[in-house]
Amino acid sequence: MPLLLLLFFLLRFFTSFQSALSAAPFDIAYHIDCGGPTNVTDPFNTTWLADRYYTGGSTSVVSEPLHFRHPQEKTLRYFPLSSGKKNCYILPLPSGRYYFRTFTVYDNYDGKSHSPSFDASLEGTLVFSWRSPWPESLARDGAYSDLFAFVKDGEADVCFYSIATDPPVIGSLEIRQVDPLSYSAADLGDRFILVNYGRLSCGSDQWGPGFTNDVDYFGRSWQSDEELRTPNTSKIVRVVSTRESISGVNQAPNYFPMKLYQMAVTGNGVLEYEIQVDAKMDYLLWFHFAEIDSTVNKKGQRVFDVLVNEKNASRVDIFAQVGSFAAYSFSYTVHNLSSTTLSVKLVPVAGGAPIICGIENYALVPNDIATMPEQVTAMKALKDSLRVPDRMGWNGDPCAPTNWDAWEGVTCRPDINDTGLVISQIDLGSQGLKGFISDQISLLTNLVSL
Ligand SMILES: *[C@@H]1O[C@H](CO)[C@@H](O)[C@H](O)[C@H]1NC(C)=O
Ligand SMILES: *[C@@H]1O[C@H](CO)[C@@H](O)[C@H](O)[C@H]1NC(C)=O
Ligand SMILES: *[C@@H]1O[C@H](CO)[C@@H](O)[C@H](O)[C@H]1NC(C)=O
Ligand SMILES: *[C@@H]1O[C@H](CO)[C@@H](O)[C@H](O)[C@H]1NC(C)=O
Ligand SMILES: *[C@@H]1O[C@H](CO)[C@@H](O)[C@H](O)[C@H]1NC(C)=O
Ligand SMILES: *[C@@H]1O[C@H](CO)[C@@H](O)[C@H](O)[C@H]1NC(C)=O
């Protein structure tokens, strides 16, 4: 699998406090201040839990705490090699679908001026790669990354894997329950993790949880579209906004927020965006529109085609579809992208000026195969009975993701049906471990040597 691009939103300083938070339709949410010693409440009234649910590591503080706005951005947890190559946050979670968001920052917390290389996985699937040297602004200011994933085994495993001897770092971890049918799940099933490669609110600054007080039931934050406009588009673009209420928002299963449709960009001519992506993967795009210009009040007055990498995705006449001041969204999937740029073009057909409120772009990352559940149980029992030391990094799934080494001393292979991974060999000879071997070892039916 290709390395996944880092997608990040640099921190900006902003002030808006617009609407009060209201209760979300899904109740499970965790906000963990990694490295934080006490529970703290941020300016948006979110309570961050003192650091917990981690398998090891140590805590630290960024080198310039005053440069960061929120308490949860100033502290971090890092995983030196003495706690093993693989470490995790493991949280109890009922089966369901969740939004995961991490804050990652280096800011020379260790005084070594070397931003680390490491990978992150979710539920045994590689989702993010951080490669040293990080861009200067990223290392200093940090970045938020997010994704949607299903959890089916009663706990969420967010794991970090050290490349060479670099200690992985994490600043904060948020998890929120979302509608299991959101984002085309009825068609796609539960076999993919949707990794955010761009969630644009056109004509706006960054907003959403952690950035402004605007409500988004899924906890999504929305980034400005400005930097992704092509130079030609920047020349002609005009921002329009409205305070009028928009109908059809905050509805199951996606709960797209009203604010998204109260702002838009328009311009006489072709509007084009270029989004950086990783090649050879599939992407799910969502497009958001609303006719918020009251002078457009008949069908046929504003018609345009949406082209994705020069392919016609759809013809759009917002008024004909939903009328004025109403949300109109649709999705489109790009398969096996061959380039590292995804181009989205809005080409006028009638009326001259396309309009758009938002674009979301998610990589469809297929779930990696995981270790067979009964073998995971057996390995956990073995870890406890042998008191396997931290430095061996026996955390998370023993074998997955398949792009990482298995637990130290453990060899895995796919089972006969290729539906899961099984343990084929355990070699702890050089580790000087003594203890009794748990009865659960009998569950390791594919073991050929111990
Ligand atoms: C933080 O809050 C959690 C949940 O409300 C509570 O269980 C825990 O004891 C608190 N921890 C500290 C250090 O105050
Ligand atoms: C946070 O909560 C307090 C009390 O519950 C309330 O007075 C305050 O207005 C809230 N702040 C925001 C930004 O919602
Ligand atoms: C930008 O606009 C100019 C003039 O309209 C045109 O010649 C050029 O091909 C455009 N560039 C791109 C990349 O579309
Ligand atoms: C693009 O596709 C739509 C159908 O979604 C079609 O009506 C329209 O004519 C197509 N545009 C072009 C330029 O082929
Ligand atoms: C993706 O496209 C490349 C060529 O661009 C091709 O070699 C590869 O087989 C394709 N993969 C799939 C899964 O279709
Ligand atoms: C492999 O598939 C067959 C038939 O579907 C099933 O009977 C068998 O139990 C499976 N074996 C494993 C190891 O999952």
Side-chain angles (χ1 to χ4, degrees):
M1 184 163 87
L3 292 181
L4 300 177
L5 177 98
L6 279 183
L7 209 277
F8 55 86
F9 316 115
L10 296 184
L11 290 180
R12 296 221 178 107
F13 293 84
F14 29 69
T15 47
S16 67
F17 282 76
Q18 277 143 359
S19 49
L21 289 171
S22 48
F26 305 97
D27 13 303
I28 299 168
Y30 285 98
H31 305 271
I32 300 170
D33 175 10
C34 305
T38 53
N39 293 345
V40 289
T41 300
D42 72 12
F44 307 106
N45 277 355
T46 297
T47 298
W48 291 79
L49 297 176
D51 202 1
R52 64 193 63 196
Y53 300 121
Y54 48 82
T55 58
S58 308
T59 65
S60 191
V61 180
V62 293
S63 67
E64 297 169 284
L66 293 178
H67 179 66
F68 296 86
R69 278 195 327 152
H70 297 321
Q72 73 274 11
E73 293 169 348
K74 300 174 200 276
T75 58
L76 55 88
R77 174 161 294 274
Y78 67 100
F79 303 103
L81 267 196
S82 56
S83 26
K85 264 185 106 57
K86 182 179 189 174
N87 272 282
C88 309
Y89 275 79
I90 301 176
L91 293 87
L93 276 187
S95 293
R97 197 175 199 194
Y98 295 88
Y99 172 77
F100 289 79
R101 178 159 78 155
T102 57
F103 180 67
T104 309
V105 64
Y106 174 60
D107 196 34
N108 200 21
Y109 76 89
D110 57 0
K112 292 181 179 158
S113 301
H114 170 75
S115 55
S117 291
F118 66 93
D119 283 347
S121 74
L122 186 83
E123 299 298 89
T125 298
L126 175 62
V127 288
F128 298 121
S129 288
W130 301 81
R131 289 292 178 274
S132 184
W134 303 2
E136 184 53 40
S137 59
L138 172 58
R140 179 154 189 266
D141 300 331
Y144 285 94
S145 316
D146 66 72
L147 53 81
F148 292 98
F150 289 92
V151 170
K152 298 175 224 167
D153 59 354
E155 59 182 33
D157 289 28
V158 182
C159 298
F160 303 91
Y161 183 77
S162 162
I163 308 289
T165 59
D166 289 356
V169 287
I170 175 148
S172 73
L173 172 64
E174 292 165 82
I175 303 178
R176 268 184 214 239
Q177 191 176 23
V178 301
D179 193 314
L181 290 176
S182 57
Y183 289 106
S184 318
D187 302 327
L188 292 168
D190 58 7
R191 295 168 294 119
F192 296 97
I193 296 178
L194 272 50
V195 178
N196 177 7
Y197 272 64
R199 184 182 296 117
L200 313 182
S201 177
C202 300
S204 175
D205 286 334
Q206 178 92 41
W207 60 274
F211 292 92
T212 65
N213 250 354
D214 298 295
V215 176
D216 181 309
Y217 286 145
F218 282 8
R220 289 165 289 218
S221 73
W222 297 80
Q223 112 197 67
S224 167
D225 64 319
E226 198 174 326
E227 280 162 30
L228 302 182
R229 294 174 197 153
T230 60
N232 275 8
T233 298
S234 299
K235 276 182 229 151
I236 59 165
V237 87
R238 195 161 55 79
V239 173
V240 285
S241 67
T242 180
R243 287 171 176 274
E244 290 221 23
S245 175
I246 309 289
S247 62
V249 300
N250 277 325
Q251 287 182 354
N254 292 304
Y255 296 89
F256 294 123
M258 184 174 309
K259 185 183 167 83
L260 176 62
Y261 302 95
Q262 289 176 318
M263 295 258 225
V265 298
T266 183
N268 267 309
V270 177
L271 299 184
E272 185 178 12
Y273 290 94
E274 281 182 352
I275 306 173
Q276 296 309 306
V277 292
D278 284 308
K280 296 190 190 139
M281 289 204 293
D282 296 352
Y283 290 85
L284 174 67
L285 288 140
W286 273 81
F287 297 100
H288 303 286
F289 307 93
E291 186 49 79
I292 58 174
D293 176 346
S294 52
T295 67
V296 175
N297 50 25
K298 280 199 206 64
K299 71 178 198 172
Q301 281 186 335
R302 191 200 300 275
V303 184
F304 51 92
D305 283 337
V306 176
L307 270 55
V308 178
N309 280 355
E310 305 300 333
K311 265 173 93 176
N312 179 9
S314 184
R315 178 155 292 184
V316 177
D317 181 338
I318 305 165
F319 190 91
Q321 289 290 336
V322 293
S324 288
F325 298 96
Y328 174 56
S329 300
F330 65 86
S331 68
Y332 179 80
T333 308
V334 188
H335 293 283
N336 194 17
L337 200 70
S338 56
S339 64
T340 56
T341 309
L342 186 69
S343 142
V344 172
K345 266 189 200 172
L346 309 184
V347 181
V349 174
I355 190 170
I356 187 158
C357 297
I359 304 174
E360 294 173 87
N361 182 35
Y362 298 97
L364 291 168
V365 178
N367 295 337
D368 203 346
I369 54 173
T371 307
M372 301 304 268
E374 68 280 5
Q375 301 227 346
V376 176
T377 309
M379 291 303 286
K380 284 181 179 160
L382 190 63
K383 174 185 171 180
D384 292 340
S385 59
L386 290 178
R387 285 187 223 101
V388 170
D390 289 348
R391 70 182 147 76
M392 293 186 66
W394 280 32
N395 301 307
D397 189 297
C399 308
T402 44
N403 356 32
W404 299 355
D405 287 339
W407 286 359
E408 191 175 336
V410 175
T411 309
C412 306
R413 63 168 176 75
D415 76 351
I416 245 143
N417 296 352
D418 238 2
T419 51
L421 296 163
V422 294
I423 283 89
S424 56
Q425 216 174 321
I426 303 175
D427 178 6
L428 300 174
S430 57
Q431 301 293 338
L433 299 181
K434 289 212 174 65
F436 69 95
I437 299 245
S438 133
D439 291 345
Q440 307 249 25
I441 194 93
S442 61
L443 293 171
L444 299 175
T445 48
N446 313 81
L447 206 55
V448 295
S449 100
L450 177 64

